[in-house]
Amino acid sequence: MGWAIGLLVSALGAALWHGRGKHRLGSDFRLAPLCGIYYPVATLPGWLQPLSWALPASYVFEGMRAVLLEQAARLDYLLYALLLNAGYLGLGIRVFLATVHQARERGSLLQSGE
């Protein structure tokens, strides 16, 4: 999940600031309350729960909560987290490559190195 967010943030930074390296737009620590780290997803308001279930970390933390409280391994949660991670990573790679391609066409990438 971190790699996907990093790729999307880098792509946004390249798109917004024309490749000038100013891509410190955010961090995934802001998603922590939605991931069920501090409390179960069920305690969130009803309108926030679908957003929480769209994050792979929610399934990981709910699965660990099930192991600790119910002594039950929720392999379905692990599978959902893996599928969401794969989807988000694919999306992040696609958006990043498209942004770099557009920046190259415009000539807005900075020359570095040689």
Side-chain angles (χ1 to χ4, degrees), residues 66-81:
V67 167
L68 292 172
L69 299 177
E70 303 164 11
Q71 289 76 40
R74 296 289 309 259
L75 296 179
D76 56 334
Y77 282 172
L78 179 62
L79 179 63
Y80 294 146

Side-chain angles (χ1 to χ4, degrees), residues 14-66:
L16 294 176
W17 288 288
H18 307 293
R20 290 192 177 91
K22 298 179 182 177
H23 49 269
R24 298 182 189 266
L25 294 178
S27 180
D28 49 358
F29 76 88
R30 295 178 191 158
L31 298 176
L34 295 176
C35 292
I37 295 173
Y38 307 115
Y39 38 78
V41 173
T43 61
L44 290 172
W47 60 274
L48 266 181
Q49 288 182 17
L51 180 60
S52 179
W53 287 120
L55 300 171
S58 297
Y59 292 97
V60 172
F61 286 108
E62 288 295 319
M64 288 308 300
R65 194 171 279 114

Side-chain angles (χ1 to χ4, degrees), residues 74-109:
R74 296 289 309 259
L75 296 179
D76 56 334
Y77 282 172
L78 179 62
L79 179 63
Y80 294 146
L82 288 173
L83 291 174
L84 281 173
N85 271 323
Y88 289 146
L89 186 59
L91 176 69
I93 290 170
R94 175 175 260 175
V95 170
F96 181 77
L97 291 176
T99 304
V100 168
H101 179 71
Q102 288 177 353
R104 283 185 179 157
E105 284 182 347
R106 288 183 301 199
S108 60
L109 287 178

